[in-house]
Amino acid sequence: MRRQISTILLTAALVGGLTACGGGDEAGSGSDDGKITLGFSQVGAESGWRTANTKSIQESAKTAGIDLKFSDAQQKQENQIKAIRSFIQQKVDIIAFSPVVESGWDTVLKEAKDAKIPVILTDRAIDSPDTSLYKTFIGSDFIEEGKKAGDWLVKEYASSTDPVNIVELQGTTGSAPANDRMKGFGDVIATEPKFKIVASQTGEFTRAKGKEVMEAFLKSNPDIDVLYAHNDDMGLGAIEAIEGAGKKPGTDIKIITVDAVKDGMQALADGKINFIVECSPCSAHNSWNWSKRSTPAKPSKPA
Ligand code: AHR
């Protein structure tokens, strides 16, 4: 079902993008076999979410009969810029990419616009005020995800007046999900002074960095009550650090994450993660909240 939704979204966006640049003067030629040629620049392979997202894009393109040119940027903006320039040179019909960070895209996107190749942003947005640089954005509302994480925390500690010490593992610095998940969560918890973020640092969305940063947090903060990690992978790395420090994840330190990948859901079932906000890598418009005690009854509002 999700794959179908994703295929429909991708195809609709592509068809929309191509229609919008129709009229006979567009440069896109891609291949001569009548197929649409899509150049896609992916962020990298930093997380389980990203792996699932890549699979969804590749499968959706195949189902839709699109000729996909796929490039992995290894979490580096310069690699994405190079990939976009190469797609322009190859005269693909359409370019899509998931921007590693929010800023710094105007120059290369103007080059795509000048070449009359439509661009679609997927998963992550950019902060350029010039919305003529891309046709559309297909992705989640990351601020809403952060708010959901904060709402759960507020409810969890509703009956307590004691201070709650929180540490935060941020995603990639400057990325839309890191900026927005931080903001959404921060806005909600700011309503109650008992909540205090005692440390907040990037774990780059990876398990290894999540573990390393959590080890440092544990050394400098003896009284951590809650960990808020911007994705499951960093939370899973942090669990290793917490166990290594002789504490019980989910009990001694409550853990909130985002994504709901398989390993995250297993940790939730094992009681090591307390709450996960789902961010679907397949259909960005379906999202659920997961905790061991509650059965998700209905999806949240579309982003
Ligand atoms: O942009 C989406 C985020 O990127 C996912 O939540 C995270 O796991 C990934 O790296």
Side-chain angles (χ1 to χ4, degrees), residues 43 45-51 53 75 98-100 122-124 140 142 145 171-172 175-178 181 204-206 230-234 258-259 261 277 279:
V43 169
E46 72 282 2
S47 64
W49 189 99
R50 189 62 56 195
T51 306
N53 180 245
Q75 291 241 66
S98 177
V100 62
T122 71
D123 165 38
R124 299 181 180 180
S140 304
F142 297 134
E145 290 172 357
T172 307
S175 69
R181 287 173 188 165
E204 292 163 10
F205 279 132
T206 69
H230 290 184
N231 79 345
D232 287 342
D233 283 79
M234 292 188 295
V258 184
D259 277 355
V261 297
V277 181
C279 175

Side-chain angles (χ1 to χ4, degrees), residues 177-221:
N179 293 343
D180 293 353
R181 287 173 188 165
M182 188 157 47
K183 178 170 172 29
F185 182 77
D187 285 352
V188 171
I189 64 162
T191 56
E192 299 201 28
K194 72 184 175 198
F195 294 114
K196 198 169 169 226
I197 298 184
V198 293
S200 180
Q201 204 180 306
T202 183
E204 292 163 10
F205 279 132
T206 69
R207 212 178 274 215
K209 194 75 185 171
K211 182 178 180 193
E212 185 189 311
V213 176
M214 189 68 201
E215 280 168 352
F217 283 167
L218 286 160
K219 277 186 195 135
S220 47
N221 301 278

Side-chain angles (χ1 to χ4, degrees), residues 223-270:
D223 297 318
I224 300 170
D225 299 303
V226 175
L227 162 67
Y228 168 45
H230 290 184
N231 79 345
D232 287 342
D233 283 79
M234 292 188 295
L236 291 163
I239 286 172
E240 289 176 32
I242 293 167
E243 287 175 335
K247 292 185 190 257
K248 228 178 149 193
T251 306
D252 296 332
I253 297 178
K254 300 236 163 92
I255 301 180
I256 307 167
T257 64
V258 184
D259 277 355
V261 297
K262 196 172 170 215
D263 290 355
M265 293 299 278
Q266 186 57 56
L268 184 87
D270 295 342

